[in-house]
Structures are given as structure tokens and as C-alpha cells.
Amino acid sequence: MPVPSDEVIVVGAGPTGLALAGELALAGARCRVLEQRPARSRDSRAICLHARSTEMLDLRGLSERFVEAGLPVPSFPVGPKGAVIDFRRLDSDFPYLLDMPQSQIEEFLERWARELGVRIVRGARVTEVGQTPGEALLTLEDGTIERAAYVVGCDGLRSTVRQCLNVPFPGYPNPGSVALADLFLDGLPMTDAYGEITDNGLLLVFPFRDGSCRVVLYDYARADMPVTEPVGFEELRESLLRISGRDFAPRDMYWSSRYRSESRQAPRYRVGRVFLAGDAAHTHSPAGAQGLNTGFQDAFNLGWKLGAAIRGRAPSWLLDSYHEERHPVGADVLRLTGRQFKLNTARTPARQLMRWAAYNLALPLPPVQSLLARTYSGVAIRYRPRNDTPHALEGQRFPRGRLSRPDGTSTRLYDLFHDGRFVLFVRPPAAVPDDLPGDVRVVAYSGNGRPGWPAAVLVRPDGYVAWASDTAGPATVGQAVRGWFSAS
Ligand SMILES: Cc1cc2nc3c(=O)[nH]c(=O)nc-3n(C[C@H](O)[C@H](O)[C@H](O)COP(=O)(O)OP(=O)(O)OC[C@H]3O[C@@H](n4cnc5c(N)ncnc54)[C@H](O)[C@@H]3O)c2cc1C
């Protein structure tokens, strides 16, 4: 009888799998990533991190290296010229879109995961996934069988793991193919993202730090091109001219691809010991650049939970809370990106009128700007509180800022989460029981610049408020905290 494994195996070394692997290692789980590709992909594909993703990196002390490599751009173009979502007033230390190629995001995440001891095995294609009550079993292409306590399928849109679980992936392909290219445009300033929609199609431009940019073209004249057809420089130049009527002086194209998105979501993110995350669980139109960011946040939601399960510290409901929390977020992203895709590709006069009204009348309104900036950036995400009578903060993203300590010193809040533990903030005279789980860091504070902040706040490793109270005594604090951990 084989000894049950205490390892988590992540299938797929894309951004979701690599972020998850780092989180698992930080949470004390042994982790291995199996990736079918023999070498890291040089495809740039997605091109930016939204504010909530950069905040997640900040929670782990990683944001600096990403911000230094990426290009912060203040707004996101949603379609017609001048129609943008402005992030500058976002309540975040990262009030912008951080433009950087997916290949570079993956490179940095892989380095972090390896630093934490994750083993990344390349050239390992998983062909079958099964499970018993005690373990999950993976079969590789060469016939090897691997055993794990848990498996997470981060293996993308055509996920083998999802198919082996017989989890359906209902949805539809979005109409039309989009041409993508990374190149230099000498005729356009590379200080902010840019967009326009004309009678001939849609153009979006996202600048990179090295002066090059990602061009996204939905050229109506070429929307039926099969995705297998390569995008050449001449085609790109013609499409740019046809859509915008301007010569942007393109040159030195170094990557291109044709892409047709699909909108789909798995109805279950967990089957027993096997989980789905990232594109394996949800996929949608690239409108709004949500794909990579949503997968990234799946990883930060699941990592600490699986880590707790491996250490025997997870209460019975914790692993199911991954699906409960992340499936609605994925569904919201499908709705958001679907609406934007429909508006941007509208060809009938009625729909074009609707687009005109949406972008010219509604979008500039400050409350609409604020709502869209919070939604697209991911800072609006909140999870359902576990409590029947929750404090207003429960389930919310823990805000940024500094905290003053009773001894007169001050600390940056997000710096307290680098090691991936829960943090319990307590303002004296609120007292803390002696027998709290060791997984919790207790931080006494006297204020944090936010009036009305409660006397006791428990924050999860992924930066969401688990529990808060204005009045709790030590017994209630102890009970609330212990509710997030199993007794063993
Ligand atoms: C051309 C293109 C352009 C895009 N542009 C954007 C954009 O502008 N903005 C945006 O947000 N998103 C964009 N996306 C989507 C974005 O790239 C994905 O959302 C993101 O890559 C999802 O990450 P992931 O880690 O979940 O999956 P993936 O990046 O797909 O990674 C899955 C990994 O699993 C591996 N794998 C698959 N099957 C197996 C197996 N059986 N065994 C072992 N390994 C396996 C794959 O080789 C791959 O490395 C684009 C996608 C494409 C294709």
C-alpha cells in the first residue's frame, strides 16, 4: 500500500500555474509543476497586470520587480478614440495598468516559484487524471504514474485535467478573429494606451517599457481569416491604415498572432482532490484584459487554502470555498467582457447608437468611471462573508495604507503579508487570547488613518478580510480566529 502523498501537483506552467506554485510553496506545501512544453514560451499573449494583481504581488513583496520591468499606463482604452477608463483616482498604490508581456510575467513568476523550492518539470505532458478517496493520480505521456494529495489543472483552455474530470465547458466561440502584433509605431506617442473604432474596425495599442507596443486589430475586412493564418507585416500595415486612416509608421514587428476568443466557464472548479484554475476554468474575450488577471487571482485564492489542507489545518469547508468564491467572479468577468466585446464589434445602426451613447454619455460620468475603474482593475472583488451577521468589512479587499503602532512606529500594511500568513490586527485595549493558532500573526495598532476602523480585524493571506469586530473581547476573538483553522 503506497504511502499517501503530501504533494500538490500543478499541471501547466502558465501564469496561473506558476503563481499558484509560488503560493503553495509559501504556504508550506510540497509542490511540483508538470508542463508539457520543453522550454518556457516566448509568446507574449496577454499584456498587462491590473491593479489588484499588482497588489497581490505587493502582498508577497514582489511588486517592485514587476513595476520596474513594466510600464505603468494611466488608462485603459475601451474602444472609440478618447473613450477610456481612467485609473488615476483608484484607491490603490498601483493606480494604473502595468503593461508587460505575458512571457516576462511568466519568467518572473517562475523565478519566484523556484526561489521558494518549487520543482518545475518540463516536457511532462499529463494524459490522464484519476483519483481515489485518499489521493489523486496522474498519468504522463511516457506512462509514468504520479501520485499527489491534490492536483490543480492550470492547463489552459483545452485543459486535459478538466476533460478527464468530465467537467463540461459550456459557452461559444466569439465571432471574428483578431490580429495581434508586437512592434514599434513611430507615429504614436508611447505614453498611454490608445484606441479607436471606425467603420472599418477596432484598433487598440498598449505601450511597453522598451518603446515598442502591442497592437490589437479587429479589421472587419479580415475578421474571417482562420487563426492558423500567420499575421505578416504587410497585412498589419494595411489593416492599421484601413482602420485608422493614419500612417503610424510601424516597424520592426517581432511577434504576431491571430486569435479567436471563446466565452466559456466550467460549472465546477473542484471535483474531489482535483481543482481547476485560470483558463482551464474560464475563458472569455480579451476585451478588458481580464484573462491572465482572473487566473492569477484564482491562484492567490486557492494557494493558501490547499497549503492549509496539506498541513491538516483547513476546516472542512475551506477547500469548497475556492469554487464558491471564484466561480461568481469568473461569471462576472464573462458578463463584463461579453458586453464590451458586443459593443465594440457592433455593426448594426441600432447597436452602434447604443455604443455611441455608452461611450459618449455614460462613460465620462464620474460615478461610471469610478465603478468601471474598480471593476476592471479587480479592486471591487469581494467575497461572501462566512458570518450570518457580518461586519461591513468582511469579505472585502483589505485596503492599502500604513498603520501606526502603540510604540509610535508605523508599518506599511501590505508588508505584513510577505510570508503568506493570516494577520490579526488588534487595537488596545482589545485583548487577544494566548492560545491563537501559530498560523496567525498578531499586530497591535493604534490607528491606520481610516476613521471608524474596528478594534479587531482578521485578514486572510490573500488580503481579504476574514472577520472584523468593533466590540469583541478575547473569547470572541479567539473563537472567530479558530473558526478559520481546524483543531488538529
Ligand atoms: C493570442 C492570445 C492573446 C491573448 N491576449 C490576451 C490579452 O491581451 N489579455 C488577457 O488578459 N488575456 C489574453 N489572452 C489570454 C491569456 O493569455 C490567458 O488568459 C492566460 O494565458 C491564462 O493563463 P493560464 O496559466 O490559465 O493558462 P495558459 O497560459 O494557457 O497555460 C497553460 C499551460 O498548461 C500547459 N499544458 C496544457 N496542457 C497540458 C498537459 N496536458 N500537461 C502538461 N501541461 C499542459 C500549456 O503548455 C501551458 O503552458 C490571450 C490569449 C491568446 C492565445
Side-chain angles (χ1 to χ4, degrees), residues 10-19 33-39 41 43-48 50 76 102 106 121-128 139-140 153-161 178 180 206 214 216 255-261 277-296 298:
V10 173
V11 183
T16 308
L18 292 169
V33 181
L34 302 179
E35 164 59 49
Q36 66 183 2
R37 289 199 182 110
S41 166
D43 266 4
S44 79
R45 296 168 71 196
I47 35 78
C48 66
H50 277 295
F76 189 90
Q102 177 166 337
E106 288 177 13
V121 185
R122 297 199 179 274
R125 191 164 88 82
V126 172
T127 54
E128 275 172 51
T139 308
L140 303 192
C154 301
D155 50 345
L157 178 64
R158 313 270 170 239
S159 169
T160 302
V161 175
V178 172
L180 308 171
F206 297 90
R214 160 67 55 84
V216 181
W255 179 82
S256 67
S257 176
R258 208 178 301 275
Y259 176 50
R260 183 172 188 193
S261 63
D279 275 20
H282 46 75
T283 186
H284 35 78
S285 125
Q290 299 290 306
L292 180 147
N293 290 276
T294 308
F296 199 66
D298 290 346

Side-chain angles (χ1 to χ4, degrees), residues 205-407:
V205 181
F206 297 90
F208 294 133
R209 188 174 273 279
D210 67 358
S212 69
C213 62
R214 160 67 55 84
V215 169
V216 181
L217 288 159
Y218 188 72
D219 180 348
Y220 298 154
R222 293 180 181 272
D224 293 333
M225 296 278 273
V227 291
T228 46
E229 197 68 36
V231 179
F233 182 72
E234 266 317 301
E235 172 190 334
L236 187 103
R237 211 154 59 88
E238 277 172 31
S239 287
L240 272 172
L241 260 178
R242 189 171 23 252
I243 294 172
S244 70
R246 260 174 81 181
D247 182 7
F248 287 113
R251 67 174 168 87
D252 297 330
M253 183 169 90
Y254 56 89
W255 179 82
S256 67
S257 176
R258 208 178 301 275
Y259 176 50
R260 183 172 188 193
S261 63
E262 299 180 24
S263 293
R264 301 180 183 280
Q265 186 177 28
R268 301 168 71 186
Y269 286 11
R270 176 188 184 189
V271 178
R273 295 182 166 272
V274 186
F275 295 77
L276 299 171
D279 275 20
H282 46 75
T283 186
H284 35 78
S285 125
Q290 299 290 306
L292 180 147
N293 290 276
T294 308
F296 199 66
Q297 286 163 47
D298 290 346
F300 279 85
N301 186 287
L302 182 58
W304 63 272
K305 293 175 180 174
L306 276 176
I310 288 283
R311 298 196 316 276
R313 304 291 285 130
S316 57
W317 49 267
L318 190 67
L319 290 181
D320 281 337
S321 75
Y322 166 65
H323 169 89
E324 289 160 10
E325 294 183 342
R326 293 305 300 171
H327 188 275
V329 172
D332 284 348
V333 169
L334 257 89
R335 276 190 288 275
L336 181 78
T337 54
R339 272 199 299 266
Q340 198 191 321
F341 186 84
K342 275 196 186 119
L343 272 185
N344 284 350
T345 54
R347 308 279 291 275
T348 63
R351 279 183 177 272
Q352 285 177 341
L353 183 66
M354 204 160 40
R355 180 170 72 212
W356 182 91
Y359 289 148
N360 290 282
L361 303 180
L363 185 67
L365 299 173
V368 176
Q369 276 290 320
S370 166
L371 176 72
L372 291 179
R374 288 177 52 74
T375 304
Y376 278 79
S377 66
V379 306
I381 293 167
R382 59 175 301 173
Y383 299 129
R384 202 159 63 86
R386 297 213 62 78
N387 224 330
D388 288 339
T389 50
H391 187 281
L393 283 178
E394 283 174 39
Q396 294 222 32
R397 150 187 170 267
F398 190 57
R400 66 178 173 145
R402 295 190 74 82
L403 149 128
S404 36
R405 313 286 287 261
D407 63 6

